[in-house]
Amino acid sequence: MTEIDLIVHGASQLLTMDPRLAAVGDDDPEAARIGVIPDGALAIHGTDILDVGSSEKILDSYRAQKTIDARGCVVSPGLVDPHTHTVFAGSRHLEFGMRMRGESYLDILAAGGGIHSTVSSTRDASLDDLVSLALPRLARALRFGVTTMEIKSGYGLALDAEIKILTAVRRLDGEQPIRLVPTFLGAHVVPREFVDRRDEYVDLVIREMIPQIAGEKLAVACDVFLDEGAFTADEARAILAAASNHGMAPKIHAGQFTDQGGPGLLAELGGLSADHLEVVSDEDVEAMARGGIVANLLPGAAFSLRDSFPDGRRFADAGVPVALATDNNPGSSRSENLPLMASMGVTRMGLDCAEAWQGITSNAASAIGMSDRVGSLVPGKKADLLLLSIPDFRAFLYHFGVNHTMAVVMDGKVIMKGTPV
Amino acid sequence: MTEIDLIVHGASQLLTMDPRLAAVGDDDPEAARIGVIPDGALAIHGTDILDVGSSEKILDSYRAQKTIDARGCVVSPGLVDPHTHTVFAGSRHLEFGMRMRGESYLDILAAGGGIHSTVSSTRDASLDDLVSLALPRLARALRFGVTTMEIKSGYGLALDAEIKILTAVRRLDGEQPIRLVPTFLGAHVVPREFVDRRDEYVDLVIREMIPQIAGEKLAVACDVFLDEGAFTADEARAILAAASNHGMAPKIHAGQFTDQGGPGLLAELGGLSADHLEVVSDEDVEAMARGGIVANLLPGAAFSLRDSFPDGRRFADAGVPVALATDNNPGSSRSENLPLMASMGVTRMGLDCAEAWQGITSNAASAIGMSDRVGSLVPGKKADLLLLSIPDFRAFLYHFGVNHTMAVVMDGKVIMKGTPV
């Protein structure tokens, strides 16, 4: 008997996310795809998973200081939200109200709405303000079972303000439990003061922001919004190439409104994920499949903007890994409910339940370069896991819009017990 | 100074739902439509609302044993969920998984799915089982701020089983806080054992079930599912006329899949609401407007079934009151999250934020014949209200998929305080 710190046993289904670990019959190939072990258990030592298997095997092989009886629960990896803009100031509910009354984008701009209003509020906010505004958002995400989250800058659009946002992310990483993965999005939109000299802004991003942010290790990835009204393909290529040279992984917002060839460009540069993808060519889908680029789909933005949902089935059928994110942001998707995005993934985007689970765990981890540490329950990874009050992994998507999280374990420690809502 | 039991004051916005009580400027006609009082207050005595107005006016006019300081919160009526099937046994997540994999309805029936599986489980369950299965569902709805809920029978399809479900609703009404409004839906689907003699089943509903259920006062309304595969217009007319003769208000499930003229029929019979309405003729919309029939729309069913959402804008533009419900049921909409249905109302169904609020409060109360007691915060109604942690009524729809309920007051008593999720 090996002495270890923690055993979690008796899970009605343990979702390892690794098909090689599956222990289900031939009658449930969907469960096999996400590595379901019935009556499953985990052996945990320190912060990491040491072993997984049936409860019988794990309880026979290890003796633990502490055990958690997960009977009646599905145990899953902690959820990974791979695309958010969680650090911002200001609320845009009045603009939302105008949109829902059918008012035009020009009317909204005239009323002081749009992304520039968030840029203005975020520039005006102090670092402390940004941290305290983000804390309740992160607490809400944690209650929904999110244990790893990407957060982008991009509401600063000036060196000091971008650094302030990324510094807030670093502070938040230390002040609350969720693992935060910072992405630099200086090329979110051309700021108003540069609107007639956009080349200068692109230069500023490349020559000042990227070197300094990389130097201070404030971001692990760099994202560009490639679309009409944002940045061009040439600008995106120059910015992402510079970021790559400074060790930041390229990512791209592409095809939210128009097809500008972003996914192909990203595949060429060897990036992590192309995000949004509501409008995308077959060639770009193939390039993503060949290049191992994750399709990071954002149903909440389509939902809130009254747009069509991205077609998850198309990417899955082409062999592109599909991730699902909240896109939590004040303009187009104000929500921390990642499980709801997974429900939208199945009901509105053509995925099946196993694919939706991959979208918020293993594929989401790949989308942000964290698949060596999180997103699946296999030996060597962080012991980040959820106890869910559901009878089957499919019930998580089926019983939608509510919170099934009974407990959250991170780094092998129980950090939250709750009543599901 | 009048001595009363409770004052709730300082609400950043008090949503009375009565436009005559609005105290907002001309620049916010949307707020005026739902009777917003800024810095609003309520005077409550016993279980009822005695007075509403500005905090200054109420605090100057009344002295209360207890006060609730609602600063920083929007105060709204308790929510009304006007169409649910909350009492049932069995879960259909496996059937959901099959649908999300694109399997056909025939495959699902062959695998034992469909409504008959719920009928079978519900018939097999004891009264105690049905009560204990429903309690957590009601607790979840309450945490989302639902204080009044309609619950239909319709998974019994036999006299004793229908009575068992309605008796469970009556018991649940006494065992938890939500006010429950029972509807008899014996004509949900023709039960398997009557499939070759459907006239006999219709006769059974009319001659045995309706008289006995009306006699025991187990239901206040009677609903019929009028559609292909369910009941015909002639059958619906006969059943609803009989129900009406026994004092039960007519309601109808109409136009979920095909147009069978249900709303016009209901208008003719003087009913409360026509529900679903994904397919409906212009003539029927006009008949609903003339007859004061509420359009009770069910976005959760469209969401889960991968169907088109019903067009809320069309009804609102025609002068038909629009209500929104969860349709919480094991087959086509498994959710207790009524606020999410309101967000779908605006983002997917063309309503604006004020209309969505009416849909889950005042119009929802009309849809179930409860508008004399609940659904608005005006003198004489029940003191059922919510404290919501949002800056503006629009933020309730904008910040979606989460729970903003800080506290629930029913009958003038605080019955729940919570951390919003």
Side-chain angles (χ1 to χ4, degrees), chain A residues 30 92-93 101 143 302-303 306-307 330 334-337 346-348 351 392 398-401 420-421, chain B residues 30 92 100-101 140 143 302-303 306-307 330 334-337 346-348 351 398-401 420-421:
Chain A
E30 187 173 7
R92 282 157 60 191
H93 54 270
R101 291 195 305 269
R143 285 196 293 269
F303 178 79
R306 293 182 166 173
D307 281 350
R334 185 71 185 91
S335 185
E336 291 87 358
N337 188 341
V346 292
T347 65
R348 311 314 294 183
L351 300 177
D392 180 278
Y398 157 78
H399 190 172
F400 67 97
V421 180
Chain B
E30 188 173 6
R92 283 158 60 191
M100 297 302 118
R101 292 196 305 270
R140 191 176 263 123
R143 286 196 292 271
F303 178 78
R306 292 182 167 172
D307 280 349
R334 185 69 184 93
S335 186
E336 291 87 357
N337 189 342
V346 292
T347 66
R348 311 314 292 182
L351 300 177
Y398 157 78
H399 190 173
F400 67 97
V421 178

Side-chain angles (χ1 to χ4, degrees), chain B residues 204-332:
Chain B
L204 186 68
V205 169
I206 292 175
R207 294 179 202 279
E208 294 191 33
M209 295 190 193
I210 288 174
Q212 185 155 349
I213 285 161
E216 297 185 25
K217 296 192 189 308
L218 279 167
V220 298
C222 177
D223 194 349
V224 173
F225 198 148
L226 168 57
D227 216 319
E228 271 179 25
F231 292 85
T232 67
D234 285 345
E235 291 164 346
R237 180 190 303 274
I239 292 166
L240 293 176
S244 189
N245 286 337
H246 279 85
M248 291 195 268
K251 295 174 81 81
I252 202 157
H253 278 64
Q256 184 177 12
F257 305 112
T258 62
D259 175 15
Q260 307 280 336
L265 167 62
L266 198 75
E268 206 183 293
L269 293 167
L272 288 173
S273 73
D275 299 32
H276 276 294
L277 303 178
E278 291 158 46
V279 196
V280 56
S281 69
D282 287 343
E283 292 68 34
D284 275 359
V285 174
E286 285 158 29
M288 289 177 71
R290 279 195 309 273
I293 305 289
V294 178
N296 204 355
L297 306 183
L298 312 176
F303 178 78
S304 279
L305 294 175
R306 292 182 167 172
D307 280 349
S308 301
F309 287 91
D311 184 353
R313 185 80 259 130
R314 181 181 177 201
F315 294 98
D317 284 345
V320 177
V322 175
L324 297 162
T326 61
D327 192 18
N328 190 13
N329 81 78
S332 59

Side-chain angles (χ1 to χ4, degrees), chain A residues 25-263:
Chain A
D26 290 344
D27 58 334
D28 197 351
E30 187 173 7
R33 277 190 275 134
I34 57 169
V36 170
I37 302 175
D39 191 10
L42 291 154
I44 293 163
H45 197 62
T47 62
D48 295 351
I49 298 167
L50 193 65
D51 202 354
V52 300
S54 68
S55 293
E56 191 181 1
K57 177 194 132 180
I58 296 295
L59 291 169
D60 280 354
S61 312
Y62 302 93
R63 184 167 17 224
Q65 300 216 327
K66 189 174 151 83
T67 60
I68 295 175
D69 183 343
R71 271 178 293 185
C73 288
V74 169
V75 171
S76 79
L79 307 184
V80 179
D81 191 344
H83 180 134
T84 87
H85 306 253
T86 300
V87 174
F88 62 86
S91 175
R92 282 157 60 191
H93 54 270
L94 294 178
E95 169 184 337
F96 177 84
M98 291 179 74
R99 279 200 283 110
M100 297 302 118
R101 291 195 305 269
E103 297 187 32
S104 76
Y105 189 65
L106 287 179
D107 291 336
I108 288 165
L109 285 181
I115 186 172
H116 294 292
S117 75
T118 300
V119 172
S120 174
S121 312
T122 305
R123 284 178 175 176
D124 288 348
S126 68
L127 174 61
D128 285 349
D129 288 342
L130 291 181
V131 168
S132 46
L133 287 167
L135 279 170
R137 297 171 196 149
L138 291 164
R140 191 175 264 124
L142 182 67
R143 285 196 293 269
F144 278 113
V146 173
T147 54
T148 300
M149 182 191 289
E150 190 247 24
I151 301 182
K152 300 177 195 294
S153 68
Y155 294 126
L157 308 183
L159 181 60
D160 56 342
E162 287 291 303
I163 285 180
K164 179 176 64 180
I165 296 169
L166 292 168
T167 305
V169 176
R170 176 176 286 174
R171 265 189 46 190
L172 288 160
D173 194 39
E175 290 186 15
Q176 57 74 56
I178 299 177
R179 299 177 196 284
L180 300 180
V181 178
T183 295
F184 169 59
L185 178 58
H188 197 183
V189 67
V190 175
R192 277 185 168 155
E193 62 275 20
F194 281 93
V195 78
D196 295 323
R197 42 194 184 108
R198 56 187 298 134
D199 290 354
E200 284 181 44
Y201 186 69
V202 173
D203 254 21
L204 185 70
V205 169
I206 293 174
R207 292 179 203 281
E208 294 189 33
M209 294 189 193
I210 287 174
Q212 185 156 348
I213 285 161
E216 297 184 23
K217 297 191 188 308
L218 280 167
V220 297
C222 177
D223 194 348
V224 173
F225 198 148
L226 169 56
D227 217 318
E228 271 179 25
F231 292 86
T232 68
D234 286 346
E235 290 164 347
R237 180 190 302 275
I239 292 165
L240 293 176
S244 191
N245 286 336
H246 280 86
M248 289 195 270
K251 295 173 83 80
I252 202 158
H253 278 64
Q256 184 177 11
F257 304 112
T258 62
D259 176 14
Q260 307 280 335

